Amino acid sequence: MTGPLLPRRSILLGAAALAGTARAQRIVDLHLPGGPSERPTSTAWPQKGEMIVQRARPPLLETPFDVFDQGVFTPNDRFFVRWHWGDIPTSIDAAAFRLNVRGHVAKLLSLSLDELMAMPRIEYAAVNQCSGNSRGYFEPRVLGAQWGHGAMSNARWTGVRLKDVLDRAGVQPGAAAVRFAGLDQPLVPDGPDFMKSLDIDHARDGEVMIAFLQNGEPLPLLNGFPLRVIVPGWFSTYWMKMLSDIEVLTASDDNFWMAKAYRIPDTPGANVQPGAKGFATVPISRMIPRSWITSHAEGARVRSGQPLAVRGIAMGGDAGVKSVALSVDGGRSWTDATLGRDEGKYSFRRFEAVLPPPAAGALTLLPRCTSTAGVTQSMDPIWNSGGYLRGQVEPTRVMVA
């Protein structure tokens, strides 16, 4: 079964790829308000087309935003990349690879890819979004990768239920959480291995997937070949790449990446005042509704006196997209958009609208999504020091002439 579907991957991610980032294809302006906003793009990364280079090691590659206007599914070669540690395997032998399942289980498992692929499969579409997507637009500026809006992508995933794998191992009474680890390693001796966990009930809900196909093809190495955890509706910090180890725990996970990192204020909307201290925090988890104009870039010129056709993409977060409305008067009035095909509640969804002819001058397009859970994007920005959970209505400013 591995045959041509899951071949040996021998891909160099070292000096050649890193040097390639210096050969910029072009410079893009992300229009970040708090600092330098120009970034180079590069096609030097293995299995990737032109990507915005936020960082070379570990690789942080942003999807150019015009890609999102081409369809709701992000091509694998334009799918964003985010690693925490720079020691990433450059070659994985699919035939020799094993997924280990251990901890509070009846029997230890060491599963080959053939064994996993012989299990019953599931498939669905789901947006993979970095917790810090759009961090570069926070004001005041916060620490961390200054992403634009392209630290997200959408794919149709194929794999097996995590629940089925856990059931094969036999989860024992008293299990509290399931922890995942991958093949990447810290570059420093005291660096904490990157691990994330889910409560046992979530891990066994039948939706969490161990994926081996992305848009019908084996996962690109930079997106987690050969296996990746898919947690639909949740931020990608839980979507462990190069998954190699699953451990069933008898208590809540207190490793660094759960207890210290990726935490948000336990306040409405994760919002606090800059400089605030003393508030409780919780691990970031569920995504929230978002929407963007894709038909027009920031600063684009459009003709006056003609109807203005716009389109974009929306996501419902941990639910589907119920509706999208558009405003050109700062939110005083709204026009309902027409929704495109529903690819599933965790997918991007296209929207389109034809607006009345605008007058000459500056025009701000505002899209606002409402999810099937009844959550509508806020007009007001939030702030927290992690630059997480941005979900406000995102403006696109154009010039009418």
Side-chain angles (χ1 to χ4, degrees):
M1 298 240 343
T2 53
L5 181 61
L6 290 174
R8 176 183 172 87
R9 290 295 175 92
S10 298
I11 299 171
L12 297 180
L13 301 178
L18 298 181
T21 64
R23 299 191 300 272
Q25 306 298 305
R26 60 184 173 122
I27 300 296
V28 298
D29 188 349
L30 298 177
H31 301 283
L32 307 181
S37 64
E38 291 188 340
R39 300 288 188 276
T41 70
S42 175
T43 58
W45 294 88
Q47 300 176 285
K48 291 296 176 183
E50 185 185 23
M51 301 292 289
I52 298 171
V53 181
Q54 288 280 1
R55 186 181 302 161
R57 192 175 189 189
L60 274 64
L61 309 179
E62 181 168 343
T63 301
F65 205 75
D66 57 5
V67 172
F68 299 117
D69 195 48
Q70 300 169 15
V72 296
F73 291 111
T74 314
N76 288 355
D77 68 345
R78 312 302 293 281
F79 206 98
F80 94 99
V81 173
R82 196 271 189 261
W83 288 85
H84 295 83
W85 293 120
D87 187 358
I88 305 168
T90 60
S91 178
I92 296 176
D93 188 334
F97 176 86
R98 294 295 183 271
L99 172 63
N100 296 313
V101 184
R102 60 191 179 90
H104 198 55
V105 295
K107 60 178 179 179
L108 305 181
L109 299 181
S110 180
L111 299 172
S112 69
L113 291 175
D114 282 345
E115 289 175 303
L116 278 168
M117 295 177 68
M119 296 176 64
R121 298 185 180 188
I122 59 173
E123 182 178 285
Y124 52 70
V127 174
N128 180 14
Q129 181 182 206
C130 179
S131 304
N133 189 30
S134 312
R135 180 185 287 126
Y137 301 109
F138 271 66
E139 296 183 86
R141 181 176 174 171
V142 298
L143 297 176
Q146 299 299 297
W147 295 107
H149 294 312
M152 63 176 185
S153 295
N154 185 42
R156 189 174 297 281
W157 308 95
T158 305
V160 301
R161 293 179 181 86
L162 174 61
K163 178 183 185 300
D164 292 347
V165 172
L166 293 173
D167 286 351
R168 179 174 289 198
V171 175
Q172 297 290 77
V178 178
R179 182 161 65 192
F180 313 106
L183 295 176
D184 56 320
Q185 295 293 318
L187 288 171
V188 292
D190 57 349
D193 289 342
F194 183 62
M195 300 184 292
K196 297 294 290 190
S197 64
L198 298 173
D199 291 343
I200 187 68
D201 289 343
H202 189 181
R204 301 188 66 197
D205 67 3
E207 280 196 325
V208 180
M209 181 196 298
I210 300 173
F212 42 74
L213 297 182
Q214 177 178 319
N215 290 324
E217 299 291 337
L219 304 170
L221 192 86
L222 284 168
N223 293 119
F225 179 86
L227 298 174
R228 165 166 218 170
V229 178
I230 309 298
V231 188
W234 281 42
F235 283 99
S236 67
T237 181
Y238 296 91
W239 295 38
M240 185 63 62
K241 296 182 293 297
M242 291 187 180
L243 175 70
S244 60
D245 185 81
I246 298 174
E247 182 180 5
V248 178
L249 308 176
T250 57
S252 297
D253 191 359
D254 62 357
N255 93 82
F256 171 83
W257 299 99
M258 292 297 297
K260 301 293 184 182
Y262 285 104
R263 297 182 71 88
I264 57 175
D266 189 13
T267 60
N271 187 31
V272 295
Q273 291 295 316
K277 297 180 180 180
F279 49 83
T281 65
V282 293
I284 195 170
S285 57
R286 298 177 182 274
M287 297 192 295
I288 58 178
R290 301 197 71 183
S291 57
W292 298 265
I293 299 294
T294 60
S295 56
H296 296 79
E298 183 77 6
R301 299 183 69 85
V302 300
R303 290 185 178 181
S304 62
Q306 297 183 4
L308 179 59
V310 299
R311 61 185 176 270
I313 54 170
M315 57 181 288
D318 63 348
V321 175
K322 178 182 179 181
S323 63
V324 175
L326 294 163
S327 178
V328 294
D329 58 10
R332 292 186 295 274
S333 63
W334 296 89
T335 299
D336 289 334
T338 300
L339 297 180
R341 177 175 172 175
D342 186 353
E343 299 286 356
K345 68 178 182 178
Y346 299 121
S347 174
F348 285 144
R349 193 167 184 182
R350 173 73 70 201
F351 65 84
E352 297 180 339
V354 177
L355 303 175
L363 182 70
T364 299
L365 305 172
L366 299 176
R368 184 170 66 173
C369 175
T370 297
S371 75
T372 54
V375 180
T376 299
Q377 287 183 268
S378 172
M379 293 289 289
D380 300 320
I382 68 159
W383 191 91
N384 57 67
S385 61
Y388 296 143
L389 212 69
R390 183 178 172 98
Q392 70 200 62
V393 172
E394 299 289 354
T396 296
R397 302 165 187 87
V398 299
M399 290 301 300
V400 184

